[in-house]
Amino acid sequence: MEIINRKQRMASIARKLRRESKTVGFVPTMGALHGGHVALVKEARRMSDIVIASIFVNPAQFGANEDFELYPRDLTADAAMLAEYDVDYVFAPDTEEIYGPGFSTHVYVEGLSETLEGASRPGHFRGVATVVTILLNTVRPDLAFFGSKDAQQVGVVKRLVQDLGFETEVVVVPTVREESGLAMSSRNAYLSEEEREKASVIYLALRDAKIAFKEGQRNAAKIAQIVEDRIAAEPLARIDYVAVVSNDTLEPIDKIDDKEVLVAVAVRFGKVRLIDNLVLNRKQ
Ligand code: AMP
């Protein structure tokens, strides 16, 4: 496994791999790797000849009052984990390598960037879309792997891949959870033991929603209420939003028909903000 810091070297290796007709699978991450990232890497390993993972804590997707400085970083542990799962190349540029002097080009996906996470975290998806564009343009992978825990990010990335004409297929990997049901996240490291235990209420609430749906509930507001009530009953939880929206457009809906519906939540435990979601009517 080779660790690459320079964009040009990464691009030239990727060019060589393309000439050799190797299929390249790409897994972009912000490091502090956990079982969720491992699932992406395993899927990439299964589907591609060459696996490239990136580790870049992207300042552009953090708001001024967010946790960019505090975000967990451990390149040594991350590299060991990636080597263990047979990753071929790790692209780990520093901030200046991505955002060089005079950097002033941004990518903004209209519509999808404006609700849910976009409303709570202004500028977040502009940062995501910009860095994903730079990474995809550098690596030009055949396949790029993203987790469905970040459902809105998946929508934004799929949109930009289509609109900007990248020849990359976006592969979505299901959310990996701890035994308690809590979705794995690099930010879980900052939960106290008690908060971590109580945070499983997010999963339990989503599960309640799924049960209600299976039992015939089709009223979106009622589904949202079930999730809200369950989470609000946990004193350590502070709800940022609970939304029941079209999985396609992320627009709110009233009645659930046979289209995919995203139940998305953001909840704070102490200083830590967690997101999770569930798709009803999942096609496949
Ligand atoms: P991050 O390092 O948090 O930016 O995440 C990198 C990638 O891993 C993104 O595509 C995430 O959606 C994905 N990911 C994060 N947590 C999980 C999880 N628990 N299960 C599956 N994928 C995840």
Side-chain angles (χ1 to χ4, degrees):
M1 188 178 83
E2 186 185 341
I3 300 180
I4 296 159
N5 304 117
R6 297 272 177 235
K7 217 164 55 168
Q8 275 207 352
R9 169 139 180 89
M10 185 70 261
S12 103
I13 287 173
R15 208 177 309 118
K16 178 165 168 287
L17 294 168
R18 275 198 300 284
R19 270 202 309 271
E20 294 168 353
S21 302
K22 299 275 207 295
T23 55
V24 171
F26 178 51
V27 182
T29 82
M30 298 207 299
L33 302 179
H34 52 67
H37 300 109
V38 170
L40 268 60
V41 166
K42 280 188 173 164
E43 193 62 0
R45 186 68 282 165
R46 199 178 66 76
M47 295 179 72
S48 348
D49 297 326
I50 299 291
V51 177
I52 302 176
S54 66
I55 297 179
F56 180 64
V57 185
N58 175 32
Q61 71 187 69
F62 288 78
N65 302 317
E66 293 183 3
D67 56 352
F68 174 68
E69 303 293 342
L70 291 174
Y71 198 84
R73 292 166 173 84
D74 190 346
L75 185 58
T76 312
D78 289 346
M81 192 174 208
L82 295 172
E84 191 184 326
Y85 291 96
D86 284 338
V87 166
D88 297 287
Y89 298 95
V90 179
F91 181 42
D94 65 18
T95 304
E96 290 68 39
E97 184 66 12
I98 297 295
Y99 301 112
F103 187 94
S104 42
T105 305
H106 294 91
V107 177
Y108 184 70
V109 176
E110 288 175 0
L112 289 179
S113 296
E114 279 136 37
T115 58
L116 310 176
E117 286 302 281
S120 290
R121 306 180 65 189
H124 172 67
F125 286 118
R126 183 174 106 134
V128 169
T130 301
V131 82
V132 168
T133 300
I134 295 168
L135 293 171
L136 291 182
N137 195 40
T138 304
V139 177
R140 311 255 200 106
D142 299 283
L143 306 166
F145 297 80
F146 291 85
S148 67
K149 182 173 90 74
D150 299 281
Q152 190 173 9
Q153 173 170 280
V154 167
V156 166
V157 170
K158 280 186 170 169
R159 190 73 254 165
L160 87 79
V161 162
Q162 175 157 2
D163 291 354
L164 300 181
F166 281 108
E167 291 178 327
T168 295
E169 184 190 332
V170 174
V171 181
V172 183
V173 176
T175 301
V176 178
R177 300 178 179 282
E178 296 185 358
E179 224 170 284
S180 68
L182 175 65
M184 289 190 183
S185 163
S186 305
R187 291 188 168 99
N188 292 354
Y190 291 122
L191 295 168
S192 70
E193 209 174 308
E194 189 189 10
E195 286 165 346
R196 197 178 181 117
E197 194 184 301
K198 299 291 167 58
S200 62
V201 72
I202 299 171
Y203 169 72
L204 299 174
L206 292 171
R207 202 181 57 178
D208 284 353
K210 190 170 198 165
I211 292 168
F213 173 76
K214 281 197 169 148
E215 287 173 350
Q217 183 57 262
R218 292 292 179 272
N219 182 314
K222 292 227 165 95
I223 295 277
Q225 197 63 53
I226 288 167
V227 176
E228 259 186 75
D229 289 348
R230 181 79 192 240
I231 298 174
E234 169 46 57
L236 293 183
R238 273 181 299 127
I239 295 175
D240 182 351
Y241 63 77
V242 172
V244 179
V245 297
S246 151
N247 195 34
D248 233 23
T249 63
L250 304 183
E251 304 274 357
I253 53 163
D254 295 330
K255 208 132 190 68
I256 302 175
D257 53 20
D258 56 355
K259 294 193 200 69
E260 288 190 354
V261 167
L262 179 73
V263 183
V265 305
V267 183
R268 279 177 208 282
F269 280 80
K271 285 196 174 64
V272 186
R273 186 172 177 282
L274 301 174
I275 60 170
D276 202 346
N277 68 78
L278 158 82
V279 174
L280 302 174
N281 275 330
R282 173 72 87 190
K283 309 270 187 295
Q284 253 164 30

